[in-house]
Amino acid sequence: MLGASGLLGANNSAGALAGGSGGQHRQIRFKNVELIRIITDLEKKETQAEAAKKLQQYLAQYQEDCDDNLFNQFKIMLDSKNQDHVFGALLAINKVARIGRETRIVHRVKKIMPFVLKQLGSNNKELVERTADCLGILAEAGGKITAEAVDEAL
């Protein structure tokens, strides 16, 4: 297991794939194999819930402030036509939204908000419900500032 420094970030050594719009695959590359496995498991319906918990534990243990690459990966997954990827991203966001300094939380909430809101237009009732839950968690994550950002976005 690697230490906290340099666990998240761009690297050409390995990558976690996410389905992009139009069936194209885009990827954010991560340095840590464990993190790659977790991201990959978030994209599979049968392993999503456990992967979201593992991601929360991983970040709590190794990374006080998750890096933007992780939230960029969530944006890619939310933009996917594959609903398993979307559900996985929502589950993961719910687990890690509160990790880090308040200023970073606010930055990430504002960055991910349009991609989460897009899911409200789905015809899938379960997806809309999970999206609403995620919006509630995002609103609470950074206190008054993120609550206002969610209210303004709606």
Side-chain angles (χ1 to χ4, degrees), residues 74-108:
F74 296 157
K75 286 177 14 182
I76 291 169
M77 291 170 71
L78 287 167
D79 201 29
S80 174
K81 293 190 186 298
N82 183 324
Q83 288 197 347
D84 288 343
H85 295 186
V86 175
F87 278 113
L90 291 171
L91 284 170
I93 291 166
N94 288 350
K95 293 290 186 185
V96 303
R98 295 179 181 99
I99 296 175
R101 294 184 319 266
E102 185 175 336
T103 55
R104 297 299 299 156
I105 291 170
V106 170
H107 166 76
R108 288 191 306 263

Side-chain angles (χ1 to χ4, degrees), residues 35-46:
L35 186 57
I36 293 166
R37 281 190 207 122
I38 292 169
I39 296 293
T40 301
D41 286 347
L42 282 170
E43 296 177 339
K44 300 176 206 161
K45 186 175 186 172
E46 58 276 358

Side-chain angles (χ1 to χ4, degrees), residues 83 114-125 127-128 131:
Q83 288 197 347
F115 295 88
V116 174
L117 286 172
K118 177 180 167 185
Q119 307 313 314
L120 288 175
S122 173
N123 292 329
N124 182 321
K125 181 181 175 187
L127 180 58
V128 172
T131 300

Side-chain angles (χ1 to χ4, degrees), residues 97-98 101-103 105-106 109 137-147:
R98 295 179 181 99
R101 294 184 319 266
E102 185 175 336
T103 55
I105 291 170
V106 170
V109 166
I137 288 169
L138 289 173
E140 293 174 353
K144 183 178 178 183
I145 296 172
T146 56

